[in-house]
Amino acid sequence: MKEHGETSKAPMVGGGISRGVSILDSVLRLVAIVGTIGSAIAMGTTNETLPFFTQFIRFKAEYNDLPTFTFFVIANSVVCAYLVLSIPLSIVHIIKSSARYTRLVLIFFDAVMLALLTAGASAAAAIVYLAHKGNVRANWLAICQQFNSFCERISGSLIGSFVAVIVLILLIFLSSSALARH
Amino acid sequence: MKEHGETSKAPMVGGGISRGVSILDSVLRLVAIVGTIGSAIAMGTTNETLPFFTQFIRFKAEYNDLPTFTFFVIANSVVCAYLVLSIPLSIVHIIKSSARYTRLVLIFFDAVMLALLTAGASAAAAIVYLAHKGNVRANWLAICQQFNSFCERISGSLIGSFVAVIVLILLIFLSSSALARH
């Protein structure tokens, strides 16, 4: 056992790095899954009913009042589902670290999902910004004075998404560095 | 000359594919440069002054009335500058198709720029959507009835950005497929 380890030291070190990269890949995918599912749930369950209402209108804010937030929830859910499906392939890479074409497939879909998730997160961020600050020139008033806890909740739900965006960039880099090493 | 070509046919075919991929890489970068610079200019030069005004207010719409559009112009300019700087490296890859670490560097920055550009484009798209449709629940009125040509212009300026997003995804895939082949 020890002798075998000594004779094939160089390939084992290379294999060890590749295996470490593959394990890191799986761990990062889990982090991104937690981030996206957290964002989707935080946004999807947000609603606030104000304690006053008139005869005709009940002041209530829900995430699906704004189509952008609906897109945010869908984008996060899709990316989360993809990441769950990609975990088995990532585990295969831990065992078989010389795999090339499956890594290529992962890089492509990681890039597509990166674009989808960034689109959802930043579109939502643009609307959240508007809800906080409003816009004088377009005569859009800030709604966060009234819907305070709604605004805090939707602002917080962006965090998980942006963490997942950074993780996806790292995943693309890790996969391609694994390809470059072989 | 011909003999040499015949003896080393297999590597030449492989090198030919790599060279073709590298040339495609450079061409796609040029397409993305045109897309981003077009978007930045189209958005940055947009303003509309309405033909009527009161004693106090002159109705004028400019891209920098909305911070999101300013971000859109900055994101497009940064990505365009990066793409211009990446062209020489892409040309090096045409000549030296076995380069690995420079490709890795390009993949990483392509992914970062993909995230930046998608963020700018989709944030702007969210605001453009709002300008067209408005939102009843948040009491944000559509401003496109008044600022018609302004709205057409900002809608159109999104196209170049989204084309560049697709091109960047393709660039990441091309670079990593070149890595996988070696």
Side-chain angles (χ1 to χ4, degrees):
Chain A
M1 188 74 183
K2 202 187 165 193
E3 273 170 62
H4 176 74
E6 272 170 1
T7 49
S8 61
K9 204 173 180 182
M12 266 197 75
V13 169
I17 292 173
S18 285
R19 189 152 297 166
V21 165
S22 298
I23 292 169
L24 186 59
D25 185 282
S26 298
V27 172
L28 283 176
R29 278 176 205 278
L30 285 175
V31 171
I33 287 171
V34 172
T36 48
I37 207 168
S39 284
I41 291 172
M43 180 70 84
T45 57
T46 299
N47 66 71
E48 183 181 7
T49 308
L50 294 191
F52 52 86
F53 47 90
T54 68
Q55 198 180 349
F56 302 107
I57 307 162
R58 198 180 165 87
F59 296 98
K60 197 176 171 209
E62 266 187 313
Y63 82 98
N64 55 8
D65 289 337
L66 289 147
T68 312
F69 292 156
T70 311
F71 173 57
F72 176 82
V73 172
I74 292 170
N76 273 283
S77 309
V78 169
V79 173
C80 184
Y82 159 75
L83 285 167
V84 170
L85 291 174
S86 74
I87 287 273
L89 210 53
S90 180
I91 290 170
V92 167
H93 290 158
I94 298 179
I95 302 159
K96 190 168 173 291
S97 61
S98 63
R100 291 192 301 175
Y101 292 103
T102 47
R103 279 191 208 274
L104 203 55
V105 170
L106 277 190
I107 289 174
F108 178 71
F109 283 106
D110 283 353
V112 172
M113 292 297 150
L114 171 62
L116 176 64
L117 188 62
T118 313
S122 76
I127 301 295
V128 167
Y129 180 84
L130 207 60
H132 276 284
K133 303 263 179 179
N135 187 281
V136 180
R137 300 301 302 268
N139 205 21
W140 292 332
L141 297 173
I143 57 167
C144 282
Q145 276 94 353
Q146 290 90 55
F147 296 99
N148 203 355
S149 89
F150 175 74
C151 270
E152 274 176 24
R153 188 79 177 269
I154 58 175
S155 309
S157 72
L158 297 177
I159 298 170
S161 267
F162 280 109
V163 168
V165 164
I166 294 168
V167 167
L168 278 170
I169 293 175
L170 289 177
L171 283 174
I172 291 172
F173 182 70
L174 280 182
S175 295
S176 42
S177 73
L179 281 180
R181 206 171 293 117
H182 291 288
Chain B
M1 188 72 185
K2 201 187 166 193
E3 274 171 62
H4 175 75
E6 272 171 359
T7 49
S8 62
K9 204 174 180 182
M12 266 196 75
V13 169
I17 292 172
S18 285
R19 189 152 297 167
V21 165
S22 299
I23 292 169
L24 186 60
D25 185 283
S26 299
V27 172
L28 283 176
R29 277 174 206 279
L30 286 175
V31 171
I33 287 171
V34 172
T36 49
I37 208 167
S39 283
I41 291 172
M43 180 68 85
T45 57
T46 300
N47 66 71
E48 185 180 7
T49 308
L50 294 191
F52 52 86
F53 47 89
T54 68
Q55 197 180 348
F56 303 106
I57 308 162
R58 198 179 165 85
F59 297 97
K60 197 176 173 211
E62 267 186 312
Y63 82 97
N64 56 9
D65 290 337
L66 288 148
T68 312
F69 291 158
T70 311
F71 174 57
F72 176 82
V73 172
I74 293 170
N76 273 284
S77 308
V78 169
V79 173
C80 183
Y82 159 76
L83 286 167
V84 169
L85 291 174
S86 74
I87 287 272
L89 210 53
S90 180
I91 290 170
V92 167
H93 290 160
I94 298 177
I95 301 159
K96 191 171 173 288
S97 62
S98 64
R100 290 192 302 175
Y101 292 105
T102 46
R103 279 192 208 273
L104 202 55
V105 170
L106 277 190
I107 289 175
F108 178 71
F109 284 105
D110 283 353
V112 172
M113 292 297 150
L114 170 63
L116 177 63
L117 188 62
T118 314
S122 75
I127 301 295
V128 168
Y129 180 84
L130 207 59
H132 275 284
K133 302 265 177 178
N135 187 282
V136 181
R137 299 302 303 266
N139 204 21
W140 292 332
L141 297 174
I143 57 168
C144 283
Q145 277 93 351
Q146 290 92 52
F147 296 100
N148 203 355
S149 90
F150 174 75
C151 270
E152 272 177 26
R153 188 78 176 269
I154 57 176
S155 310
S157 72
L158 297 177
I159 298 169
S161 267
F162 280 109
V163 169
V165 164
I166 293 167
V167 167
L168 278 170
I169 293 175
L170 289 177
L171 283 175
I172 291 172
F173 182 70
L174 279 183
S175 294
S176 42
S177 72
L179 282 180
R181 206 171 292 116
H182 290 290

